[in-house]
Amino acid sequence: MLKNYFKIAWRNLLKSKGFSFINLTGLSIGISACILISVYIIHETSYDKFVPDSTNIYRLVRQFNFGKETLKSIHFSANTARTIESDFGEIEQAGRIMDNDLFYGAGTNELQIDDEVMQHHEAGFAYADQAILDIFSIPMIFGDAKTALEEPKTIVISQAVSQKYFKDENPIGRVVYLNGNRDDPHRITAVMRDFPTNSHMDYQYFLTMKGVEFDEGEQDRWIQSNYFTYVRLRPDTDVSLFDQTFGASIIKKYLKPALAAGGYAMAEEIEDKASIYLQPMTDIQLYSADIGYESGFRNDIKIIWIFGTVALFILLLATINFVNLSTARSANRAKEVGLRKVVGSGRSNLVIQFLTESLVLTLMAFVLGVVLAQTFLPVFQKMTGIELSMPWGNQLFIPVLLLAALVVGGLAGFYPALYLSGFSPINVLKGKLRLGGKSSGFRSGLVVFQFTISIILIIGTLIINEQMSFILNSKVGFEKDQVIQLYGTNMLGEKDVIFKEELSKMQEVESVSISDYLPLENTKRNGNSFTKEGGENIDEDISGQVWQIDEDYLETLGIELIAGRNFDATIASDRDATIVNEQMVAELGLTDPIGKKVSRSGHLNEIIGVVKNFRYDNMKQRVMPLALFYEKSNTIISVKVNTADMPGLLKTIEKKWDEFAPNLSFRYAFMDDSFAQMYDNVYRIKTIFTSFAVLAIFVACMGLFALSAFMVEQRNKEMSIRKVLGASIQGIYRLQTQNFVYLVLISLLFAIPIAYYSMENWLKDYEYKIEISWQIFLVSGAVAISIALLTVSYHAFKSALINPVNNLKGE
């Protein structure tokens, strides 16, 4: 019997090639999209779970509430780790990582190996305690993980770095030098296995913390925060209870007295306005979007939900196609059902038959979907920027696919099976049954659902594209075009000023500035607190940035000076002066700022100028107060140029560079490219969302195309009679299409509020964003109606143009 079910199912699928093709194509596209997005989601949700004992590892986060604003940070003082390990028995081990490139050795460096003359640019340097190797159980290729960072002047390198410079040789005992400093050797003590792609850390070098102090007293100072602090809790710890008490204890016992001793007014309110909590290590990748100055790229759980929803929508659209087409083509199966019942088939037998057809089609679609997913995986990898792979090694992968195929096949075939098996044989064989009409209301509801989803995706795509255009084309307060950034210029030493002068002499060069504090991500940042003069110990401090620039910085980047003057190399007092932005003036409440003084960590600095606000972080963050100081920070030189021959100018600059640094490679970037890279991940999200939105709409259109064919076929005789009675082609076309237009309009009413709420929620992450205008909804509705009309027009015109004799000659 079972064999017979499959045989008949296969014959029916071959007999209805158009129906089978559309359902197979739609389902396979939906399944492949689901698989690809599932692979992406599995990767993103698997972060750090490979670490042994990962459920007991946490990162410290602190939160400050300033009025309506909440600021989160993961930077703590140097002594936090050892203090909490000593004070709290629940903490088994605590360790620190410091990758702030404000401090020598962290971030990027020029690397020399042993006695080599050539220097190599390398990134991914961080200082770490030995405890970090223990907490994360970092596996080693060479060396002992238990002692690798126990001694001063030691360094652990990654497997990739070891392979790059030492091939398969054991590098233990080899010596490296940073930034040409031959007086500061670091001995390689271990080679760690490369961090996998689903690790929130991607360091290539760990420098030991042993014996390191970045300035006098820094290791014991509570109010200087530059370290990430990780802890491993004992397995029997009640984490929720511990999390409620330990942070308040640190603030009350250590942080509040330290602030009070430093004369900070916020000491009185710190217990009410600040908190410290534990963030599970496995949450870092997806739940850190609201943490400022996070190390590396962090995804957002919202994106995971959006992509997962889109994948589900695509599969739902394909399933709805199956249901709609199965019920619409009931005319083709009615007599078959009637005859089967007459010769003794029960309803249950018919239900099993129709479900078998659904399952066979679904299984075929799943096989094709897996093939499509594997084929397009490299394309999807480029879209995400992540190295992904199909989980063939997972023992659950194939069983889950089979189970999913059974569930989808069952859901897709359940209603059509009940509907078709319920026909009365007497009415069918007498021709009294209005075939396909009984379920028209249900089908219309499914079409409305399909177009609601499609319109939501169209609106989302339009808003995401408009926001991206706004980001890249809006005024940011500085000139990023035709500005070249030269890297590694700190290696020039005192010759950097001479090199700057040589560049300035070039005809195509307009201005040159020495500073690595730039309005771009991954350049230097230095947070500090400020009050106005006289407000020390009285006013609440405001949080802001401290940048070091030279006298040509404003001109090179085209930053507008709206009050006062620029720095002047001939005025010695400018070394103690500052130029601030409008936000600093506003938050300090200064009405006439020129000549006034700001207090920064007990130092008073006179304001000699005010610059117009410029955006120095991405648009998800508001412009913070900023104080510019006349000091040298020289790992980057920015060159403003005016030339049509950029390759020729770059060759000239490189030639000059080789004269000054013959053992150092010439590295550069264009500021507009660096600015665009700040939004690479938003670009990727836009590309992925748009691509899958187009797929979803395509699947919906396939179903609508086939559904319109069946609907038109059912009304062929009606339309022929209308033509005989004088109906025009336009009138018949309108009759065949107006119902679909009404359904789209109903869909629009459902889609607009859902899309508006969803996209408003997405835009909340951006401090600077577009306003969602009614034009977007108007365009989306017009696009949806156009898509619907284009999809059904072929069959509508075919029906209008057919000779009525062909349909009525048998009557």
Side-chain angles (χ1 to χ4, degrees), residues 203-214:
Y203 299 114
Q204 301 298 315
Y205 301 85
F206 277 138
L207 297 159
T208 183
M209 286 276 199
K210 184 72 70 173
V212 174
E213 187 171 50
F214 294 105

Side-chain angles (χ1 to χ4, degrees), residues 1-19:
M1 193 68 181
L2 189 61
K3 180 181 177 182
N4 188 56
Y5 285 140
F6 280 103
K7 185 186 292 185
I8 295 173
W10 181 251
R11 286 175 180 172
N12 278 319
L13 291 177
L14 292 178
K15 181 180 177 182
S16 307
K17 292 183 176 63
F19 165 82

Side-chain angles (χ1 to χ4, degrees), residues 660-717:
F660 279 78
N663 298 319
L664 197 64
S665 58
F666 177 65
R667 296 183 299 110
Y668 70 91
F670 296 106
M671 181 170 279
D672 54 351
D673 291 340
S674 299
F675 180 82
Q677 285 174 8
M678 291 169 63
Y679 300 96
D680 270 354
N681 293 304
V682 181
Y683 261 128
R684 290 193 181 105
I685 290 166
K686 183 199 81 167
T687 303
I688 296 169
F689 186 87
T690 303
S691 301
F692 284 105
V694 170
L695 271 181
I697 294 166
F698 174 72
V699 170
C701 288
M702 286 183 66
L704 190 62
F705 181 81
L707 181 62
S708 66
F710 286 116
M711 299 298 288
V712 167
E713 183 183 353
Q714 288 183 9
R715 299 183 70 183
N716 271 343
K717 289 183 180 180

Side-chain angles (χ1 to χ4, degrees), residues 34-40 42-43 370 373-374 377 388-401:
C34 277
I35 290 172
L36 288 174
I37 292 179
S38 297
V39 168
Y40 173 76
I42 289 169
H43 177 272
V370 171
Q374 184 67 61
L377 185 62
L388 301 170
S389 61
M390 297 285 283
W392 297 114
N394 191 326
Q395 294 180 347
L396 294 176
F397 182 59
I398 299 299
V400 167
L401 281 179

Side-chain angles (χ1 to χ4, degrees), residues 476-483 555-559 640 671:
V476 291
F478 64 92
E479 295 294 333
K480 57 185 182 291
D481 297 327
Q482 290 224 319
V483 177
E555 180 186 355
T556 303
L557 298 189
I559 296 171
K640 176 70 174 178
M671 181 170 279

Side-chain angles (χ1 to χ4, degrees), residues 389-449:
S389 61
M390 297 285 283
W392 297 114
N394 191 326
Q395 294 180 347
L396 294 176
F397 182 59
I398 299 299
V400 167
L401 281 179
L402 290 173
L403 179 62
L406 292 174
V407 171
V408 171
L411 290 175
F414 182 71
Y415 176 76
L418 289 180
Y419 173 70
L420 293 171
S421 64
F423 289 160
S424 168
I426 297 175
N427 291 332
V428 168
L429 297 176
K430 283 185 176 182
K432 293 181 179 180
L433 188 67
R434 190 185 169 206
L435 299 168
K438 188 178 178 182
S439 62
S440 60
F442 181 70
R443 283 201 307 273
S444 295
L446 292 179
V447 171
V448 168
F449 182 74

Side-chain angles (χ1 to χ4, degrees), residues 640-800:
K640 176 70 174 178
V641 302
N642 185 7
T643 180
D645 183 21
M646 188 64 76
L649 177 59
L650 287 171
K651 286 182 181 178
T652 304
I653 295 175
E654 183 175 8
K655 185 177 179 181
K656 183 62 66 176
W657 173 267
D658 290 338
E659 293 177 14
F660 279 78
N663 298 319
L664 197 64
S665 58
F666 177 65
R667 296 183 299 110
Y668 70 91
F670 296 106
M671 181 170 279
D672 54 351
D673 291 340
S674 299
F675 180 82
Q677 285 174 8
M678 291 169 63
Y679 300 96
D680 270 354
N681 293 304
V682 181
Y683 261 128
R684 290 193 181 105
I685 290 166
K686 183 199 81 167
T687 303
I688 296 169
F689 186 87
T690 303
S691 301
F692 284 105
V694 170
L695 271 181
I697 294 166
F698 174 72
V699 170
C701 288
M702 286 183 66
L704 190 62
F705 181 81
L707 181 62
S708 66
F710 286 116
M711 299 298 288
V712 167
E713 183 183 353
Q714 288 183 9
R715 299 183 70 183
N716 271 343
K717 289 183 180 180
E718 176 195 342
M719 295 302 128
S720 295
I721 293 171
R722 287 180 180 274
K723 283 193 75 175
V724 169
L725 295 176
S728 65
I729 293 175
Q730 293 88 342
I732 291 175
Y733 173 80
R734 186 175 63 253
L735 281 171
Q736 293 282 27
T737 58
Q738 65 183 7
N739 185 52
F740 290 107
V741 174
Y742 293 151
L743 294 178
V744 172
L745 291 174
I746 294 170
S747 301
L748 198 60
L749 294 176
F750 287 112
I752 286 175
I754 297 172
Y756 179 82
Y757 173 79
S758 301
M759 297 317 296
E760 269 290 308
N761 194 41
W762 178 71
L763 287 170
K764 281 180 183 177
D765 291 338
Y766 291 88
E767 186 69 27
Y768 304 97
K769 57 194 175 187
I770 62 169
E771 292 293 330
I772 300 178
S773 63
W774 62 268
Q775 288 95 333
I776 289 176
F777 302 116
L778 184 65
V779 170
S780 300
V783 169
I785 291 172
S786 300
I787 289 172
L789 286 175
L790 285 171
T791 304
V792 303
S793 287
Y794 171 76
H795 294 113
F797 274 121
K798 186 178 178 182
S799 172

Side-chain angles (χ1 to χ4, degrees), residues 66-211:
F66 298 101
K68 295 181 180 179
E69 188 174 27
T70 299
L71 299 177
K72 291 184 179 181
S73 172
I74 51 175
H75 295 92
F76 286 82
S77 62
N79 55 354
T80 299
R82 69 171 184 266
T83 302
I84 61 176
E85 185 176 345
S86 173
D87 284 10
F88 299 99
E90 294 88 345
I91 296 177
E92 191 171 75
Q93 204 167 15
R96 305 165 298 168
I97 294 177
M98 204 285 291
D99 63 3
N100 190 336
D101 58 4
L102 283 174
F103 300 95
Y104 175 82
T108 61
N109 291 289
E110 307 303 324
L111 184 74
Q112 282 179 298
I113 300 169
D114 295 329
D115 296 325
E116 287 185 7
V117 175
M118 195 65 189
Q119 302 191 58
H120 312 275
H121 178 75
E122 289 289 330
F125 285 84
Y127 286 90
D129 288 323
Q130 171 61 41
I132 291 296
L133 303 182
D134 301 333
I135 291 171
F136 292 103
S137 303
I138 297 175
M140 298 294 165
I141 306 297
F142 299 110
D144 186 358
K146 295 180 180 179
T147 60
L149 295 176
E150 284 285 10
E151 298 180 14
K153 302 296 182 183
T154 53
I155 186 171
V156 174
I157 65 175
S158 71
Q159 183 179 1
V161 171
S162 179
Q163 189 66 31
K164 179 179 178 180
Y165 293 112
F166 306 104
K167 304 303 179 187
D168 296 325
E169 178 188 345
N170 183 346
I172 303 300
R174 301 287 289 271
V175 175
V176 298
Y177 302 90
L178 306 182
N179 304 314
N181 187 355
R182 307 295 293 189
D183 296 326
D184 188 26
H186 285 78
R187 180 170 53 88
I188 298 173
T189 53
V191 175
M192 60 183 173
R193 195 177 298 279
D194 292 336
F195 288 106
T197 57
N198 60 342
S199 170
H200 80 279
M201 293 194 295
D202 189 26
Y203 299 114
Q204 301 298 315
Y205 301 85
F206 277 138
L207 297 159
T208 183
M209 286 276 199
K210 184 72 70 173

